[in-house]
Amino acid sequence: MTQRADHITLFTRLITDPGTDAGVFARARDRARGAEAAGIDALLLHDSQSAATAPAEDPHFEAGTLAGALAVSTRAVGLVAAMSTEHALPYHVARVLATVDHLTPGRAGWQPLTGADPAAAANYGRADGPSSAAARRSRAAEFTAVLTGLWDSFDDDAFRRDRESGVYFTPEKLHALDHRGEHFDVAGPLNIARPPQGHPLLVHRPADADDIAFAARVADVVLLTVPDGEDPARLREAVREQARAAGRDADGIAVLIDWRVDGGPDEAERLRALFAAGAADGFTLLAPAGPAEAAHEAVLSLATAVRAGGHAPTATREGTTLRDRLGLPRPADRRAA
């Protein structure tokens, strides 16, 4: 099994505290900086379109806004914002993510939220409740296609900014989208230059077999939960095989498996052994149960131990994109190609 690079990719969910005191964002910012210092590649910024049953589980911040705030508070860590494809509109999401990618520069990602949530449906005036799984997946696929089309509104070299010739912009390198589909009609073009990564990183967590097929077609990073008794290497290869069947280079997709941090003395070595065996391209470090600060510190401790084993990020200098850091290709502008 091919490994993209000798670099264990590490993602984790940013732990945020509910509440309204002035220190809420400061704690989130400090935790993001701590994760960055520990060598974590990207933070998953959770979001929800409805209130949690237990207030302590409420994510509190809208993910796109939080990504923008953290963009100017961090230097290297990726910021993956959860976005609802069921209730949001593609043009708005395309602008948010392109903005964060330019602000970072090149560290933005997004995780499409495609699950059913009756409370969220009610919040958005959907009297009939959430759509079926097939309809939500169809909408998410078209949503993704619209986003990538909008991000390709400008060619990479559309803005010349040449003072000597006086040519700032080449009009022929701007393209309208004119999308007409089952779920969306979007004229375009986007009013933001093409993002530094071409397209912000798409991270997907499949819910079932059909969702794995969707992820293999469109995702850059796939997050998997491995059931007890299953072989993670087999699951990784199944995703890669579906990517190849969809006409993609399997090495252009990273498969991460969930790892619940347990604090064991050989925990980092177990992760390194799984990576060396081709079981995963990396891991989503899931915080242990308990107080938020202790859980955060446990994740950082494991990430630091993994990096101490010689699997440091391949590129951490300021200005390097998240795709570069993970060894994933930058999408070519389809029109320019």
Side-chain angles (χ1 to χ4, degrees):
M1 297 180 186
T2 302
Q3 300 274 182
R4 293 172 300 99
D6 187 25
H7 166 64
I8 300 177
T9 297
L10 299 178
F11 280 26
T12 194
R13 175 175 164 178
L14 178 66
I15 300 173
T16 56
D17 298 322
T20 57
D21 63 277
V24 170
F25 173 69
R27 288 193 293 274
R29 179 199 61 208
D30 291 346
R31 287 171 187 163
R33 288 173 172 170
E36 182 174 70
I40 287 174
D41 294 295
L43 297 170
L44 301 172
L45 309 181
H46 181 60
D47 206 349
S48 175
Q49 301 298 307
S50 61
T53 303
E57 298 174 2
D58 201 311
H60 182 74
F61 292 123
E62 190 277 322
T65 307
L66 178 59
L70 293 175
V72 296
S73 303
T74 55
R75 292 167 56 93
V77 70
L79 304 170
V80 180
M83 297 286 185
S84 171
T85 55
E86 184 73 358
H87 305 298
L89 292 176
Y91 195 88
H92 174 69
V93 171
R95 295 189 75 240
V96 169
L97 294 171
T99 297
V100 174
D101 210 47
H102 280 287
L103 289 176
T104 33
R107 293 187 282 122
W110 73 292
Q111 181 180 358
L113 298 180
T114 63
D117 183 350
N123 286 341
Y124 285 91
R126 292 281 300 276
D128 54 346
S131 305
S132 68
R136 294 195 307 275
R137 193 172 295 112
S138 171
R139 181 182 171 97
E142 187 177 341
F143 196 108
T144 301
V146 173
L147 256 62
T148 56
L150 288 169
W151 288 326
D152 288 342
S153 293
F154 291 93
D155 293 352
D156 283 320
D157 59 350
F159 295 93
R160 290 180 57 185
R161 300 181 175 90
D162 187 339
R163 295 181 63 180
E164 290 188 6
S165 67
V167 177
Y168 177 82
F169 168 65
T170 306
E172 294 78 13
K173 296 181 181 292
L174 170 63
H175 312 281
L177 181 63
D178 292 329
H179 174 87
R180 299 291 181 269
E182 179 183 357
H183 303 282
F184 306 107
D185 291 342
V186 182
L190 196 67
N191 59 348
I192 300 175
R194 196 164 192 255
Q197 295 186 100
H199 305 156
L201 201 75
L202 197 167
V203 178
H204 190 51
R205 179 179 290 283
D208 54 33
D210 289 335
D211 226 12
I212 289 178
F214 168 69
R217 290 197 308 273
V218 304
D220 300 298
V221 177
V222 179
L223 311 179
L224 293 180
T225 299
V226 179
D228 290 341
E230 284 278 4
D231 177 9
R234 186 191 67 79
L235 293 180
R236 172 180 180 262
E237 186 55 31
V239 174
R240 289 168 57 84
E241 181 57 38
Q242 293 209 44
R244 285 188 285 265
R248 300 182 64 189
D249 178 358
D251 290 336
I253 185 171
V255 181
L256 312 187
I257 64 172
D258 290 344
W259 182 272
R260 179 69 65 182
V261 178
D262 60 29
D266 62 343
E267 194 170 15
E269 187 55 41
R270 282 182 279 158
L271 293 187
R272 288 194 287 267
L274 284 169
F275 175 80
D281 297 301
F283 305 91
T284 305
L285 302 182
L286 306 180
E293 199 57 40
H296 170 70
E297 291 299 327
V299 169
L300 298 195
S301 177
L302 177 56
T304 301
V306 170
R307 295 301 184 218
H311 293 279
T314 56
T316 57
R317 62 188 182 279
E318 185 176 7
T320 300
T321 72
L322 181 57
R323 288 180 180 275
D324 291 336
R325 183 180 175 112
L326 303 186
L328 295 173
R330 183 181 188 270
D333 184 335
R334 292 170 295 177
R335 293 183 180 87

